Amino acid sequence: MSDTLPPLREVIREFDLRAKKSFGQNFLLDLNLTRKIARVAGDLSDSIVYEVGPGPGGLTRGLLAEGAKRVVAVEMDARCLPALAQVSLAYDARLSVFQGDALEVNETELLAPQGGEKLRIVSNLPYNVGTLLLIKWLTLEDWKPWFSSLTLMFQREVAERIVAKPGSKAYGRLSVLAQWRGKVKIAVNVPAAAFTPPPKVASAVIHYEPCAPMDAAVKQKDLELVVERAFGQRRKMLRASLKSLPVNALDLLAEAGIRETSRAEDLSVEEFVRLARVYGKTRS
């Protein structure tokens, strides 16, 4: 489906939508690129797509042009609402926009699928809240989650942390939280020049699909705590970094079969999950 709306640069001029740093805004104006990102999410014809921070609607238009059954967007910046209303009109009201803070949204109530549609999150996330939103979606207590997939734009450095493997400098808390019950990859690299205004760093789109956890007996909160303490002092050996846990760190490591001289970046995701299971058993 072709897009018959005015070019995004004209939309920005018409509605005076200069990007604001306070909203973490960097707009994507290349509709070929936004359609490419939309295709990473898969077949959208049976999907309700949740988009955070659509701005003037570049990615929104890409999602609708690629056949999304419905797009539900949350935008904090009231200046963008008239431009998004134009998009909704051009695409037969398949776009619904709500003004508000995505960190406070109850997504399942907002999206309310009615016909068995898949729920997908596809967003060029505002830089200032992107990681917080990802953690919100990854740390749901009940799993499998309400969404079928996440297709999200981050600063390249953050994207590399999400997909990082043990032994790398990028490997850390985000890596473990993403990988213990999901499959994730970097799908598209996006240069800074693709944005208006161009940020100082390159970006990347990650695609994440939830799957069964490595150990269904592990509680999310136990894993979060163990990982947080381990990487809180990542250069220290685990026998020291885990001392702040309310258990004996040496006994915990021994029962989990992990060397006390290991450091956080040495442990695989599976080993962190095992450590969290032992911790949870010790605390119960």
Side-chain angles (χ1 to χ4, degrees):
M1 179 178 180
S2 60
D3 189 304
T4 59
L5 288 161
L8 282 160
R9 291 190 185 279
E10 291 183 17
V11 173
I12 289 172
R13 282 196 298 269
E14 179 183 354
F15 295 102
D16 193 22
L17 296 180
R18 286 166 293 182
K20 286 189 175 182
K21 191 173 182 179
S22 60
F23 287 119
Q25 291 172 328
N26 296 92
F27 300 143
L28 282 175
L29 304 187
D30 183 343
L31 293 179
N32 290 322
L33 176 58
T34 62
R35 292 188 70 157
K36 179 179 180 180
I37 294 169
R39 289 193 293 272
V40 169
D43 181 3
L44 302 179
S45 61
D46 63 348
S47 299
I48 298 175
V49 178
Y50 178 53
E51 183 185 6
V52 174
L59 180 56
T60 316
R61 288 163 65 168
L63 292 166
L64 292 165
E66 288 298 321
K69 183 174 183 180
R70 187 155 62 93
V71 175
V72 178
V74 171
E75 175 57 63
M76 184 174 282
D77 187 355
R79 299 177 307 148
C80 297
L81 301 184
L84 294 169
Q86 279 191 350
V87 177
S88 182
L89 186 63
Y91 281 95
D92 302 321
R94 286 159 48 212
L95 168 66
S96 302
V97 183
F98 299 88
Q99 186 182 4
D101 184 347
L103 288 170
E104 299 175 358
V105 167
N106 182 323
E107 293 93 348
T108 53
E109 289 183 4
L110 179 68
L111 300 176
Q114 298 174 350
E117 302 100 334
K118 292 180 180 178
L119 301 178
R120 302 182 186 274
I121 306 176
V122 187
S123 291
N124 169 22
L125 292 173
Y127 279 175
N128 56 354
V129 295
T131 302
L132 291 175
L133 284 168
L134 178 65
I135 291 172
K136 174 186 177 183
W137 296 324
L138 292 180
T139 56
L140 300 171
E141 194 66 38
D142 295 326
W143 207 258
K144 283 193 169 183
W146 54 267
F147 55 83
S148 297
S149 65
L150 308 173
T151 304
L152 305 172
M153 177 93 72
F154 291 98
Q155 295 178 37
R156 173 78 190 186
E157 178 187 354
V158 177
E160 289 175 345
R161 284 162 50 199
I162 295 166
V163 304
K165 300 303 179 186
S168 67
K169 291 182 179 180
Y171 184 66
R173 180 187 178 210
L174 278 181
S175 319
V176 177
L177 293 182
Q179 295 173 38
W180 84 285
R181 53 186 188 183
K183 298 177 181 178
V184 64
K185 65 180 181 180
I186 290 179
V188 182
N189 289 307
V190 183
F195 295 90
T196 298
K200 295 180 180 178
V201 295
S203 296
V205 176
I206 64 108
H207 183 71
Y208 173 93
E209 294 184 357
C211 62
M214 292 178 178
D215 186 337
V218 172
K219 293 182 178 178
Q220 171 67 32
K221 293 187 184 304
D222 290 338
L223 182 64
E224 282 188 83
L225 181 61
V226 168
V227 171
E228 177 192 340
R229 298 299 167 84
F231 282 105
Q233 302 178 74
R234 65 181 296 146
R235 296 310 306 152
K236 288 190 174 183
M237 295 178 185
L238 290 172
R239 66 188 181 194
S241 60
L242 296 180
K243 270 189 175 181
S244 58
L245 290 173
V247 297
N248 184 289
L250 294 179
D251 291 346
L252 176 66
L253 290 163
E255 189 172 348
I258 295 170
R259 290 184 298 113
E260 64 184 60
T261 54
S262 296
R263 293 178 170 82
E265 64 189 35
D266 300 325
L267 265 62
S268 67
V269 177
E270 292 88 349
E271 287 173 316
F272 271 115
V273 171
R274 188 165 75 237
L275 196 61
R277 176 166 48 80
V278 174
Y279 172 76
K281 185 175 69 173
T282 304
R283 292 287 292 159
S284 60

